[in-house]
Amino acid sequence: MQRVCLALPTMRACPGTIVDLAEEAAYAVETFGAEVHLLVLDTTEGAEFAKNADAVAALVPAPGVFVHHLGNAAQRAFFLDVARRSGGADPELLLDLMLPQDVAYGSCVNRIFLGAAALGCTSAHLRNDDFDYQVVDGAKMFPIHHELLSLGKPAGEALAGVARSELDPADAEKPVMLVSAAFMGELNVDIGEINELDPEVYRDLVRLWTPRVWTLEQQDEMVDVSFKGAEPDSFDPADSVLGVPDIWDVYMCNVAIDHRGYEVLPLVPSLRTIGADYALLHALVHAKLPAVIHKRHIVNYYTPERRIGAGFVSYQLRFVKMLLSMLYLYPVYGQMIDLGTGLLDERHELRVEPILGLVRSTVDLDRDVNETCLDEVDRLYRKLGGKYAELADVVAGQRQQLLDEAREDTLRWVALIENWAPMVAAARERGLAG
């Protein structure tokens, strides 16, 4: 029986999402006969944690569905034990890479990956705490339908479960390591208000996350598609295509990954940085591994706390950190493209050594580009005025810290990659209980 991990990392009260995911888990059992472990890794405290715990406790037990809700204390105990069992020289550092005090999107997904390994799962199916399912004739359109049809199978076998194929016959023996769809609704990065205030400022700001070596025309083409997801009329619960996807068709908010991917390469454990959770997806796509792209798009929505007061400032600082992170990530992604299938071993699985070498090579890049980036961010925020001018003051006050953190995040990633294989083995040996 296939054992899979349907996962929700959350830092807010989201009882409705937990109920929805339990329904998706039950659907997977009923439709595919899978054993589904619903893993909720919850970093809330107090009343918010209690709301999530109450939602878990109220779930109607379903055969084949096993629910695990871990708060901060349980996660700390688990990941510290895994770090110690792994034989790493500095278990406290490894714990910080997995469960830092600050927001770290990559770290929360890495915790899912080790949790899935501890549960003996062969795949991780990732969802967010700020989405809804599409509904057709009263039925929720669960992405896990397409995910379990194809994920982990040799591509030649997965042909039977897709509507269309662009598969190169030479790739038939390669495993399907990735299944993804998009989202609809609000931008997946909350900067739409900037576009409403001043479209030119928005364009100039988003250009800052495009590769600097690109022409202005190429940058503008990327701006036009960035953060927007799928058009509403593209939703089709039955459509799916097998082949090597474009990276723009893969979204971390609606994705399933085979364990032979995430057990090799962890995500970037960047602190307070949006977009740090895409590195593994780049590796799988640029290695030209087959994937299935379907159209059971989810609906993205915003939670209100990141639009006002301290929540607004914190979220926008994560966006600024994303811009700075690209100095270190784009060279890695570009060289992944150059290596292509050279990223794979004889079993068509990722090799970590070349990727680790690429990451190490970026640590000491000249950061003049990031100095210029922050100058431009300051100019654009001040042009918007109001709360954005106040935000510019905050960014200016943290300028050196932001520059240093962007580089340190790369060092953190190097350390985690170096220790990842023994941590995965330790998690698998330990199990999640106890």
Side-chain angles (χ1 to χ4, degrees):
M1 179 183 294
Q2 188 176 11
R3 181 182 297 178
V4 305
C5 179
L6 179 60
L8 175 68
T10 185
M11 56 183 182
R12 59 178 61 90
C14 56
T17 304
I18 291 170
V19 172
D20 283 344
L21 285 175
E23 290 183 33
E24 185 171 19
Y27 174 88
V29 174
E30 294 164 4
T31 307
F32 297 98
E35 177 181 306
V36 182
H37 290 261
L38 174 53
L39 178 60
V40 181
L41 295 187
D42 190 344
T43 53
T44 62
E45 297 283 0
E48 288 192 320
F49 182 83
K51 290 179 182 177
N52 290 339
D54 288 346
V56 170
L59 293 174
V60 177
V65 176
F66 302 86
V67 184
H68 315 268
H69 180 211
L70 278 68
N72 279 312
Q75 290 183 62
R76 179 178 177 81
F78 171 73
F79 292 111
L80 181 57
D81 192 21
V82 166
R84 288 169 173 165
R85 288 168 178 257
S86 74
D90 190 345
E92 290 292 338
L93 169 63
L94 297 180
L95 175 63
D96 182 64
L97 295 174
M98 296 301 300
L99 191 63
Q101 295 300 307
D102 216 327
V103 173
Y105 293 96
S107 293
C108 74
V109 180
N110 287 335
R111 294 198 297 275
I112 293 292
F113 293 157
L114 288 190
L119 290 166
C121 295
T122 58
S123 56
H125 305 251
L126 306 179
R127 307 291 183 258
N128 286 354
D129 57 9
D130 51 2
F131 85 97
D132 289 320
Y133 296 104
Q134 293 274 347
V135 176
V136 175
D137 297 329
K140 295 172 183 174
M141 296 292 101
F142 298 124
I144 207 165
H145 177 88
H146 288 293
E147 294 167 352
L148 292 185
L149 277 173
S150 304
L151 193 64
K153 295 179 179 179
E157 293 182 17
L159 277 168
V162 297
R164 294 177 290 121
S165 175
E166 299 173 357
L167 184 70
D168 185 329
D171 291 337
E173 294 183 2
K174 294 180 180 179
V176 175
M177 302 284 277
L178 183 67
V179 179
S180 184
F183 65 93
M184 295 186 288
E186 300 183 275
L187 303 181
N188 67 339
V189 174
D190 193 351
I191 56 173
E193 183 184 60
I194 297 174
N195 194 37
E196 294 169 5
L197 292 170
D198 191 325
E200 283 307 309
V201 167
Y202 174 87
R203 180 166 293 275
D204 287 346
L205 192 62
V206 177
R207 278 194 191 117
L208 295 175
W209 96 286
T210 64
R212 301 299 190 273
V213 297
W214 282 9
T215 66
L216 189 61
E217 291 75 16
Q218 289 174 316
Q219 291 179 353
D220 282 346
E221 288 175 4
M222 183 168 167
V223 170
D224 289 338
V225 299
S226 293
F227 316 132
K228 294 179 181 178
E231 296 295 331
D233 59 4
S234 68
F235 178 72
D236 183 340
D239 193 19
S240 58
V241 58
L242 172 66
V244 176
D246 190 298
I247 190 64
W248 290 101
D249 293 328
V250 181
Y251 294 88
M252 188 56 88
C253 60
N254 188 358
V255 71
I257 307 172
D258 186 83
H259 73 105
R260 288 166 290 183
Y262 61 75
E263 290 183 355
V264 173
L265 180 67
L267 307 186
V268 190
S270 303
L271 300 176
R272 53 179 188 155
T273 308
I274 297 167
D277 46 0
Y278 275 75
L280 174 59
L281 303 187
H282 276 270
L284 296 173
V285 169
H286 299 328
K288 302 187 182 302
L289 284 165
V292 170
I293 302 300
H294 61 92
K295 292 185 178 179
R296 290 197 176 206
H297 309 313
I298 60 161
V299 181
N300 183 57
Y301 64 85
Y302 294 143
T303 49
E305 77 277 356
R306 64 192 194 188
R307 290 191 162 184
I308 57 172
F312 166 77
V313 174
S314 295
Y315 185 86
Q316 294 299 321
L317 285 172
R318 295 171 210 163
F319 173 69
V320 173
K321 270 291 299 293
M322 181 189 77
L323 302 180
L324 300 178
S325 73
M326 304 323 296
L327 169 65
Y328 303 97
L329 290 176
Y330 277 140
V332 174
Y333 298 163
Q335 292 176 78
M336 284 179 176
I337 293 172
D338 292 341
L339 285 170
T341 56
L343 293 169
L344 304 176
D345 62 19
E346 66 280 356
R347 297 171 298 175
H348 311 299
E349 297 176 12
L350 280 180
R351 294 191 299 128
V352 73
E353 293 83 4
I355 299 173
L356 179 56
L358 297 180
V359 179
R360 284 173 174 157
S361 72
T362 69
V363 170
D364 292 320
L365 289 174
D366 190 321
R367 61 192 201 183
D368 285 353
V369 170
N370 276 354
E371 295 273 10
T372 302
C373 177
L374 288 181
D375 291 342
E376 186 69 357
V377 166
D378 186 84
R379 181 185 72 81
L380 293 170
Y381 281 163
R382 294 190 190 283
K383 185 176 181 181
L384 290 172
K387 65 181 182 180
Y388 289 95
E390 296 174 3
L391 175 63
D393 290 337
V394 176
V395 174
Q398 297 188 24
R399 182 182 181 101
Q400 195 60 45
Q401 179 184 351
L402 291 167
L403 291 166
D404 291 343
E405 280 186 6
R407 178 180 182 275
E408 289 164 5
D409 287 340
T410 304
L411 292 170
R412 290 168 62 84
W413 195 20
V414 168
L416 188 58
I417 295 172
E418 291 173 339
N419 287 275
W420 190 244
M423 290 181 73
V424 170
R428 190 183 297 113
E429 180 183 5
R430 180 193 186 277
L432 193 61

